[in-house]
Amino acid sequence: MSVPHLVTAQSGPILDLERKILAAQPEIEHWFRNQWQEQTPPFYGSVDLRNAGFKLAPVDMNLFPGGFNNLNRDFHPLAVQAAMSALEDFCPSARRLLLIPENHTRNNFYLQNVAALVRILRQAGVAVRLGTLNPEITEPSALELPDGQKLLLEPLIRQGNRLGVAGFDPCVILLNNDLSGGVPAMLSDLEQTILPPLRAGWSTRRKTGHFAAYDHVAETFAGLVGIDPWVINPYFDHVDGLDFHQRDGEDRLAASVDAMLGRIRRKYAEHGIDHTPFVIVKANAGTYGMGVMSVKSADEVIGLNRKQRNKMSVIKEGLEVHDVIVQEGVPTFEHIDDAVAEPVVYMLDRFVIGGFYRVHTGRGPEENLNAPGMHFVPLAFATPCSTPDCDAAPDSEPNRFYAYGVVARLALLAAAHELVPATQEVALAV
């Protein structure tokens, strides 16, 4: 499979960044190996990236990825190998795994993701059953998918401090449910290994916490490669105590947006970038592209109309938004077939196993693409993006996505730091 045709011109600052990353490839891989000796990577994760032509940065990190069905099938063996490595790290004797998905029994796209994940795990050498938190499922329920696959969802059974399904006592519990609505009592105080840990759920995790960890990772990496950390790192700020319905906190949010736009303008001037800065305001927890708005002026967050307030005030599970991340907007200059696109990179353990382009024909390069109407095009790696050809041009097929894999792994490393209790944190080292 060839690399999708991209309109993006790989020139200027990003081409220079790619050259520096390729030139430092041995040092980069050695550095990552050292980091993973000190930190345990999350079991899996996906990173939304933005390539602006002058900047390549992560804008979101999901620790409960839901798009395994959108990956290039050619790299399924790589995913299986990575799953084996992850299971060896977390539970070497694992033979039985309980996978707990989201409660989306009617979302065929999500269920196809679950089926793809089950296939990877089974081929990694563990027996897999699906246990659901959905209270509507009180007996084993078979779900047929459009492609002919079947999934069997079973009600969870808790006995003492162990959780399973009928006739199945798992060694490991894998969550593909982001716990936006909180941690159910069913999952508390279990003696089994739970992956990712419960603190990775959106009931406790915050995006500002992730990007605070990423600040440190990006600064250290930039020193290793010899680049300005800003080239791989979006500015961010935190505003809480908001009530979009009552318009409480509007002035503080506007002040944050205004200050952020000023920081971006100064950086654009420093780098000679001719582009109008913008800011993304989004809920500080949660996924599915809910609670997100793009603004170019502080005035745009003052006096929101009812539709805008409703959009910003509620996210998944009907939770109200009182806490936002104000993030530097990174435009995407990538297009596939005349539609705006952004890469999403998937990782299992410490390994990049593939990814896809999120594509939206109805959105612009400065808008959130994680919205109804999006579709996906697999990232067709000519070779795994962790194995570049250092003798070839930076934009050759083996190298085009290497930089994506590096920046995605930086976000994964930040997530590893984010999930470690502060008392156990180990400092980064070049």
Side-chain angles (χ1 to χ4, degrees), residues 100-138:
I100 300 180
E102 298 279 357
N103 294 342
H104 303 320
T105 55
R106 295 180 180 85
N107 184 333
N108 283 324
F109 293 111
Y110 175 74
L111 294 174
Q112 286 170 351
N113 152 75
V114 174
L117 187 53
V118 168
R119 186 168 58 250
I120 291 169
L121 293 166
R122 284 178 176 160
Q123 292 188 5
V126 290
V128 181
R129 299 271 284 272
L130 298 177
T132 179
L133 291 165
N134 190 337
E136 297 177 4
I137 296 182
T138 57

Side-chain angles (χ1 to χ4, degrees), residues 66-337:
F68 282 93
N69 55 310
N70 296 316
L71 303 182
N72 183 350
R73 288 289 187 94
D74 291 347
F75 289 90
H76 177 78
L78 186 62
V80 172
Q81 187 178 25
M84 288 179 178
S85 175
L87 290 168
E88 287 171 4
D89 288 343
F90 286 107
C91 190
S93 61
R95 296 179 59 188
R96 295 175 299 278
L97 183 145
L98 179 68
L99 177 60
I100 300 180
E102 298 279 357
N103 294 342
H104 303 320
T105 55
R106 295 180 180 85
N107 184 333
N108 283 324
F109 293 111
Y110 175 74
L111 294 174
Q112 286 170 351
N113 152 75
V114 174
L117 187 53
V118 168
R119 186 168 58 250
I120 291 169
L121 293 166
R122 284 178 176 160
Q123 292 188 5
V126 290
V128 181
R129 299 271 284 272
L130 298 177
T132 179
L133 291 165
N134 190 337
E136 297 177 4
I137 296 182
T138 57
E139 60 184 28
S141 302
L143 303 177
E144 291 196 19
L145 305 186
D147 59 2
Q149 296 184 85
K150 293 183 179 180
L151 294 176
L152 182 67
L153 291 180
E154 302 180 71
L156 293 168
I157 298 173
R158 177 157 177 163
Q159 294 181 322
N161 289 335
R162 297 193 71 83
L163 186 68
V165 294
F168 189 79
D169 183 24
C171 320
V172 177
I173 297 169
L174 178 62
L175 298 175
N176 198 242
N177 182 311
D178 64 21
L179 305 179
S180 290
V183 177
M186 183 83 76
L187 297 179
S188 298
D189 302 317
L190 293 174
E191 62 185 38
Q192 293 136 304
T193 299
I194 300 180
L195 302 173
L198 296 177
R199 61 182 175 277
W202 284 125
S203 55
T204 51
R205 183 175 177 242
R206 294 294 178 265
K207 296 182 181 186
T208 45
H210 172 75
F211 282 100
Y214 186 79
D215 273 351
H216 188 30
V217 170
E219 185 175 350
T220 305
F221 178 81
L224 174 70
V225 180
I227 58 173
D228 180 348
W230 176 79
V231 175
I232 57 170
N233 190 12
Y235 289 140
F236 77 94
D237 192 16
H238 178 210
V239 180
D240 57 9
L242 298 170
D243 187 325
F244 284 97
H245 283 304
Q246 299 297 323
R247 296 181 172 170
D248 292 341
E250 274 189 351
D251 290 343
R252 289 185 295 107
L253 179 57
S256 175
V257 168
D258 194 52
M260 180 67 68
L261 289 168
R263 291 182 73 188
I264 301 169
R265 286 190 196 97
R266 290 190 290 275
K267 207 65 181 179
Y268 280 8
E270 177 186 331
H271 284 266
I273 295 166
D274 182 16
H275 190 86
T276 302
F278 68 103
V279 165
I280 299 293
V281 178
K282 56 187 172 184
N284 203 12
T287 52
Y288 297 100
M290 303 175 75
V292 181
M293 65 187 300
S294 173
V295 298
K296 294 183 177 178
S297 165
D299 294 339
E300 294 180 54
V301 299
I302 297 290
L304 298 177
N305 62 37
R306 178 180 295 179
K307 181 179 179 181
Q308 291 169 321
R309 294 200 307 274
N310 289 340
K311 175 185 174 184
M312 290 301 299
S313 62
V314 178
I315 55 171
K316 185 185 171 194
E317 305 282 355
L319 299 176
E320 292 190 3
V321 176
H322 300 291
D323 180 15
V324 300
I325 179 173
V326 177
Q327 189 177 60
E328 174 189 351
V330 181
T332 176
F333 279 81
E334 296 191 304
H335 290 72
I336 295 178
D337 297 329

Side-chain angles (χ1 to χ4, degrees), residues 15 18-19 22 388-400:
L15 191 63
E18 289 174 339
R19 285 195 186 100
L22 283 172
D389 181 354
C390 295
D391 295 324
D395 55 355
S396 65
E397 283 194 5
N399 297 337
R400 162 160 273 178

